[in-house]
Amino acid sequence: MRHETLLIPLSLALFSVGVATAAAEVVVIAHNNTTLAAHEVREVFLGEKQFAGAVRLMPVDNSPAQPEFLAKVLKLEVDRYSTAWTKKSFREGLNPPPLKSGDAEVLDYVRRTPGAVGYVSKAPTGVQIVQKY
């Protein structure tokens, strides 16, 4: 009986963590001089689209938000994303997007880097909002 009493609160706690994780927002942002449509984000982060007009696109990953971004936007798991970039590096000589430590670092990079495209957990000001997921 004691185990059942402990199991119910533990199950509820685990369920609420899962719900909170699933409800996290992902906001794709771009430097103000960058024109990018929501349907192009996948191509940018997989190295298939490298320019928007004459502007070289510079994608950047956000370490804490990456699993959510990959699941919601690219429909990939972290290991598949890493494998895709390893192959692209060997075949085409492209480097994967740099990995930043969080929203503040991604936002700073996108604000100061023409062509930068990144993602954060809440909509910021001073950059273009490409899409919210």
Side-chain angles (χ1 to χ4, degrees), residues 1-25:
M1 185 71 167
R2 179 166 159 71
H3 294 311
E4 293 172 0
T5 307
L6 292 174
L7 188 58
I8 292 171
L10 179 60
S11 297
L12 289 173
L14 291 173
F15 176 76
S16 65
V17 168
V19 169
T21 301
E25 184 175 51

Side-chain angles (χ1 to χ4, degrees), residues 92-112:
E92 300 174 33
L94 296 177
N95 292 322
L99 186 63
K100 302 297 181 183
S101 65
D103 285 1
E105 195 174 352
V106 169
L107 185 56
D108 180 57
Y109 179 83
V110 170
R111 281 184 177 146
R112 28 176 207 90

Side-chain angles (χ1 to χ4, degrees), residues 18-126:
V19 169
T21 301
E25 184 175 51
V26 176
V27 181
V28 178
I29 59 174
H31 186 275
N32 284 328
N33 78 336
T34 305
T35 303
L36 187 68
H39 71 272
E40 296 173 310
V41 171
R42 179 179 175 81
E43 296 170 351
V44 171
F45 279 89
L46 292 176
E48 296 165 6
K49 180 173 179 67
Q50 297 176 24
F51 288 89
V55 177
R56 181 163 183 77
L57 297 171
M58 307 291 289
V60 59
D61 280 318
N62 182 340
S63 183
Q66 189 180 49
E68 192 77 17
F69 170 78
L70 293 177
K72 286 183 173 181
V73 181
L74 301 189
K75 310 290 189 230
L76 292 174
E77 294 177 3
V78 174
D79 59 337
R80 300 263 333 241
Y81 181 65
S82 180
T83 299
W85 270 107
T86 299
K87 289 177 181 178
K88 193 158 280 293
S89 293
F90 282 111
R91 291 181 186 155
E92 300 174 33
L94 296 177
N95 292 322
L99 186 63
K100 302 297 181 183
S101 65
D103 285 1
E105 195 174 352
V106 169
L107 185 56
D108 180 57
Y109 179 83
V110 170
R111 281 184 177 146
R112 28 176 207 90
T113 309
V117 181
Y119 50 92
V120 292
S121 60
K122 60 183 177 179
T125 58

